Amino acid sequence: ITKGSIGVVEFLLGSGLAGMLYSILCGQPMAFLAPTGLTLAFISGLFRFCTIRELPFFPVYSWVGIWTSAFMTLLGLSGSSKLIRFCTTFTDEVFNGMLSVNFIYEAFSSLRRNFVNADPMNLSMPFVALSMALGTFLTTMNVIKFESSKFFNSKVRKVIKNFGPVSVIMLFTLLNLHPWAQKFNA
C-alpha cells in the first residue's frame, strides 16, 4: 500500500507504543486499540495523495498525527464526549459501508490493473486472479447462506457462518500460494 514506506513491523510497533502511551496517559488501561481497516484505508489514501502531489509521505503523516492529537486534546478538554449520544448505529453502519465500498473499489482496481498490464498474448494470470476473486466471493456467500440451510443443527450452522468467511479467505490464499497458481505469475 505504501510501497515499502511503512512495513508491518514498523506499523505494529508504532501502534503498540502509541497504544501503551494512550493507556497510561488517558487513565483507560483497558481500552482496545488496534489497527483497523479504516486506518489502513486512511494510510492508503494519504499515501496516494502524497504520491500524486509529490509530497514526502512521512512528514505529512507526522503532521496529520500532530494535528489529530491537537484536535483530540481540544475535544477532550472541552467535554465533547457528551456528544457521543448523538452517534447511533446508523453512523457506525455508514462508516462500515464507506469502508466496504473502498475495499471493493480497490479489489476491482487491482483486477483491472491485472488485465491492463498483462501481455495480450498471455492472459492466463489476469484470468486466474479473476477466478480466485470470484471463487472467494461466491464461496463466502454460500458459506454465509449456510446458516439458513437444513444441514446440521443450528449451533453448527452458526459456527460455520461465523468462521466460514475467514476460512474461505485463508483457503483461497493458500490456493493462490500453491505452486500451481504461482506458475501463472511468471
Side-chain angles (χ1 to χ4, degrees):
I1 293 176
T2 61
K3 295 185 176 46
S5 293
I6 298 179
V8 174
V9 174
E10 292 89 358
F11 184 73
L12 291 176
L13 188 64
S15 297
L17 290 174
M20 286 187 281
L21 279 173
Y22 175 80
S23 296
I24 293 168
L25 297 176
C26 78
Q28 296 259 346
M30 295 302 289
F32 178 73
L33 298 169
T36 62
L38 200 52
T39 306
L40 178 68
F42 173 74
I43 291 173
S44 171
L46 184 64
F47 183 79
R48 194 174 313 130
F49 172 80
C50 290
T51 304
I52 291 170
R53 303 270 186 215
E54 297 179 2
L55 296 169
F57 174 68
F58 280 121
V60 172
Y61 190 48
S62 300
W63 277 111
V64 166
I66 290 168
W67 277 102
T68 303
S69 300
F71 282 121
M72 290 297 162
T73 303
L74 185 66
L75 288 169
L77 292 174
S78 65
S80 298
S81 61
K82 63 181 172 249
L83 299 175
I84 196 70
R85 69 175 182 245
F86 297 115
C87 293
T88 61
T89 55
F90 173 75
T91 310
D92 185 41
E93 294 301 322
V94 167
F95 280 118
N96 289 336
M98 290 190 315
L99 186 61
S100 298
V101 167
N102 183 39
F103 281 122
I104 291 168
Y105 170 79
E106 289 294 329
F108 280 117
S109 175
S110 175
L111 288 171
R112 181 182 173 280
R113 235 183 349 264
N114 282 340
F115 279 97
V116 169
N117 296 336
D119 177 19
M121 302 308 270
N122 183 11
L123 293 175
S124 59
M125 194 276 291
F127 278 110
V128 168
L130 180 64
S131 299
M132 291 284 189
L134 287 175
T136 304
F137 172 73
L138 294 172
T139 308
T140 302
M141 293 306 292
N142 284 327
V143 165
I144 289 172
K145 287 192 284 187
F146 191 77
E147 187 179 30
S148 60
S149 73
K150 301 286 185 207
F151 299 106
F152 304 114
N153 60 23
S154 64
K155 195 178 223 180
V156 172
R157 288 194 309 257
K158 187 169 177 135
V159 167
I160 290 172
K161 181 206 171 240
N162 289 338
F163 295 104
V166 174
S167 303
V168 168
I169 291 169
M170 287 173 45
L171 174 73
F172 273 89
T173 301
L174 291 173
L175 184 62
N176 190 39
L177 294 174
H178 192 272
W180 173 85
Q182 289 298 314
K183 71 180 178 185
F184 294 108
N185 284 334

